[in-house]
Amino acid sequence: MNSRQSLLRQLPSVDSLLLTPSLQSAATEFGLDEVKQHVRQVLADLRNSLRNGDAGAEVELQKDNMPDLISQRVLQAVQLSAVPVLRPVINLTGTVLHTNLGRARLPEQACQALYSLAAQACNVEYDLETGKRGDRDKHVQQEMCRLTGAQAVTVVNNNAAAVLLVLNTLARDKEVLISRGELVEIGGSFRIPAVMEAAQACLHEVGTTNRTHLQDYREAVNAATGLVMKVHTSNYAVQGFTASVGEQELAALAAEHGLPFVSDLGSGTLVDLQRFGLPPEPTVRSVLEAGADIVTFSGDKLLGGVQAGIIAGRADLIERIKANPLKRALRVDKLTLAALLEVLKLYRDPQSLPEKLPFLRDISRSQQNIREQAEQLLPAFRKTLGPGLVIEVRETSSQIGSGALPLDLLPSAALVIKPEPGATGSDAKLTGLAAAFRKLSTPVIGRIHDGEFWLDLRCLDESEALLDLLPELLDQV
Ligand SMILES: *Cc1c(COP(=O)(O)O)cnc(C)c1O
């Protein structure tokens, strides 16, 4: 009999493995079924390796402590599968509102509210005064109306949902007048024409890509027109020979024909961001004051809050929007409302926003401040990543992201890592480096640019958070 067959025969049983002390305590911690499943998997893998003539597995199993060896493997597998798949990462990409990394980070006040409401019942749709069914939008309505001057608001899952719901309510089977220069795509799946179709509204394009005049809208109005729409071109800019029609003129034209004027603002700025060194952006208030009947915007772009789509404007239109059965499908839960409300409350004191709202804190950091942090981290990086890699502090530009203010880059500083000049396999080294940072216990996400690995420190609150992770890199790179 060859050794492989004898090894196969010697493999311990599932039950005997479950009796080993390490797996017993694992069963207490992770559950017996969970451990048993991994025992079965590890045994099946070993059987397969042996049958396929894997010499490594044979040598390993010939050592006399086979059961220990196997339970060790099981333990590793159990622990690995206990690591959450959704977890915090450190965003050093240089894009502050990174959609794939969850956009805005929430302020402490919002986190506290989430914590206290998550495990409790709460009056999300219950009126504590009358003891009857309440209105879930009421909780944020007062605060939002105060900040924007809107008569009423309703909150849905995100701004894409807000646009869909508004169009489906106010322009179903009707035409929506919109400039050709505003048929935007916001990240792959959100394209104005596609949303229009999903909302069962008919797109009626007016003007040209670069120039649209009031007369174009005027000539397009007909019996089938449902509303006039303007989309804020937040993620690109048309420059050169251009013309577009302002909110005020469009609002007047719409009113003349008894049509609602809807403005999809996208980013949703609540205060003038010029005071934080950013260029002018229309605020929700300014667009409503210019005459928009409905404004839609995101909760997690320039507002700096939680993922949500906010629909603000005329009370009678908001009433109709809330009565649409789609609202039930698109509404938000108590946690979103709680976080949004806490973020809105911070806006009561705009002066303190940059201290309290992580998004504004990030974008208002000076290049000098970020460079100092980079220089402070540099020696530890050089020490850990050692010879073979060149590490420097370099100036860079961060972006706001999420299609907000695309042209405006924030002066920043980065740690830049690259293989020594002339090193072989540089590309592989670089992708290996980026992967090693992603494998850290708190993954660090940077970006590869021009043969170098860049860590833009703008969104790094605490240098220690990064320093503490460095030792993990020692056996990785
Ligand atoms: C970002 C954006 C959207 C989509 O908002 P989400 O919150 O990402 O769903 C829609 N319209 C405009 C103009 C935007 O900028």
Side-chain angles (χ1 to χ4, degrees):
M1 188 172 58
N2 68 27
S3 72
R4 193 193 307 169
Q5 271 162 343
S6 103
L7 280 172
L8 275 168
R9 210 160 295 164
Q10 282 170 45
L11 282 179
S13 70
V14 172
D15 287 338
S16 71
L17 280 167
L18 286 172
L19 289 174
T20 59
S22 65
L23 293 191
Q24 291 250 300
S25 72
T28 314
E29 190 179 346
F30 301 101
L32 181 60
D33 286 355
E34 170 71 5
V35 177
K36 201 185 271 184
Q37 189 202 321
H38 286 287
V39 169
R40 289 210 178 98
Q41 188 61 52
V42 167
L43 285 174
D45 289 349
L46 283 172
R47 262 184 230 112
N48 270 338
S49 306
L50 288 173
R51 287 195 187 115
N52 294 336
D54 177 342
E58 264 181 62
V59 171
E60 209 179 337
L61 289 172
Q62 267 156 355
K63 296 177 186 153
D64 36 358
N65 56 347
M66 189 200 276
D68 286 348
L69 214 100
I70 297 174
S71 52
Q72 196 52 41
R73 264 196 204 189
V74 173
L75 198 60
Q76 277 171 2
V78 171
Q79 282 164 346
L80 195 66
S81 88
V83 173
V85 287
L86 184 62
R87 56 204 177 115
V89 304
I90 299 179
N91 172 14
L92 302 185
T93 59
T95 300
V96 180
L97 297 173
H98 197 300
T99 300
N100 300 349
L101 300 181
R103 290 197 186 160
R105 298 182 290 147
L106 289 178
E108 187 53 35
Q109 290 81 348
C111 299
Q112 287 298 332
L114 289 176
Y115 189 80
S116 75
L117 285 176
Q120 305 283 345
C122 88
N123 60 330
V124 62
E125 217 171 275
Y126 182 85
D127 188 325
L128 290 173
E129 263 174 46
T130 61
K132 300 214 172 91
R133 182 174 170 181
D135 178 346
R136 69 175 59 213
D137 291 319
K138 276 272 153 60
H139 306 286
V140 295
Q141 174 146 297
Q142 196 186 357
E143 206 67 36
M144 192 62 98
C145 290
R146 214 175 82 164
L147 285 162
T148 62
Q151 290 174 357
V153 302
T154 183
V155 184
V156 288
N157 179 59
N158 57 13
N159 191 38
V163 175
L164 178 75
L165 184 59
V166 169
L167 291 176
N168 183 259
T169 310
L170 304 179
R172 188 175 164 177
D173 299 329
K174 291 192 188 144
E175 289 185 2
V176 176
L177 300 190
I178 183 170
S179 162
R180 283 207 166 84
E182 296 171 5
L183 298 176
V184 302
E185 168 177 318
I186 293 121
S189 53
F190 184 93
R191 288 173 151 193
I192 290 289
V195 176
M196 205 70 83
E197 202 178 313
Q200 293 173 276
C202 311
L203 177 63
H204 188 147
E205 303 170 33
V206 305
T208 62
T209 306
N210 59 329
R211 288 173 73 82
T212 302
H213 308 281
L214 187 61
Q215 193 58 22
D216 297 323
Y217 289 92
R218 195 180 290 287
E219 283 164 9
V221 178
N222 67 74
T225 308
L227 59 82
V228 179
M229 185 174 192
K230 188 168 177 66
V231 177
H232 187 54
T233 53
S234 51
N235 61 354
Y236 72 102
V238 181
Q239 290 177 330
F241 186 56
T242 65
S244 63
V245 186
E247 269 91 3
Q248 225 153 345
E249 290 166 283
L250 283 180
L253 178 75
E256 217 176 281
H257 293 88
L259 298 167
F261 170 47
V262 172
S263 172
D264 176 22
L265 206 43
S267 304
T269 319
L270 294 182
V271 294
D272 184 0
L273 293 176
Q274 289 180 90
R275 71 164 85 186
F276 307 112
L278 291 184
E281 256 290 282
T283 61
V284 178
R285 180 182 285 280
S286 70
V287 175
L288 286 170
E289 276 172 1
D293 296 297
I294 291 290
V295 178
T296 54
F297 54 101
S298 294
D300 55 357
K301 290 188 183 169
L302 297 183
L303 195 153
V306 71
Q307 181 191 306
I310 296 134
I311 306 171
R314 250 168 63 189
D316 60 321
L317 298 179
I318 298 286
E319 245 355 276
R320 281 173 61 196
I321 290 163
K322 283 166 79 161
N324 186 332
L326 264 184
K327 166 73 196 325
R328 179 67 163 77
L330 301 174
R331 72 184 190 187
V332 294
D333 72 332
K334 63 174 180 178
L335 297 180
T336 297
L337 287 169
L340 181 60
L341 181 56
E342 289 307 315
V343 171
L344 294 180
K345 276 159 66 183
L346 295 181
Y347 277 87
R348 289 176 186 177
D349 179 18
Q351 306 294 341
S352 71
L353 276 172
E355 287 152 48
K356 294 184 180 151
L357 200 59
F359 161 64
L360 278 178
R361 192 167 63 219
D362 287 342
I363 63 165
S364 48
R365 278 186 76 187
S366 71
Q367 183 175 43
Q368 162 96 2
N369 177 272
I370 302 167
R371 196 193 298 116
E372 279 166 14
Q373 185 181 31
E375 263 149 21
Q376 192 202 335
L377 284 164
L378 184 62
F381 264 72
R382 283 191 170 147
K383 192 160 163 225
T384 308
L385 298 176
L389 292 170
V390 181
I391 309 168
E392 300 166 347
V393 173
R394 239 56 83 79
E395 294 192 346
T396 182
S397 299
S398 327
Q399 297 190 341
I400 292 181
S402 287
L405 298 167
L407 298 182
D408 301 289
L409 300 170
L410 311 162
S412 186
L415 284 166
V416 180
I417 311 170
K418 62 177 174 191
E420 258 169 5
T424 51
S426 287
D427 281 354
K429 234 183 181 159
L430 213 58
T431 47
L433 193 64
F437 275 86
R438 288 198 306 272
K439 275 203 202 104
L440 294 170
S441 54
T442 303
V444 172
I445 319 293
R447 79 191 138 96
I448 291 176
H449 172 69
D450 261 355
E452 299 170 323
F453 183 55
W454 290 69
L455 298 171
D456 181 331
L457 302 184
R458 174 171 296 279
C459 299
L460 182 67
D461 294 335
E462 309 273 345
S463 297
E464 286 70 33
L466 190 53
L467 279 177
D468 290 350
L469 292 168
L470 287 183
E472 292 178 32
L473 284 170
L474 276 174
D475 34 87
Q476 296 265 359
V477 294

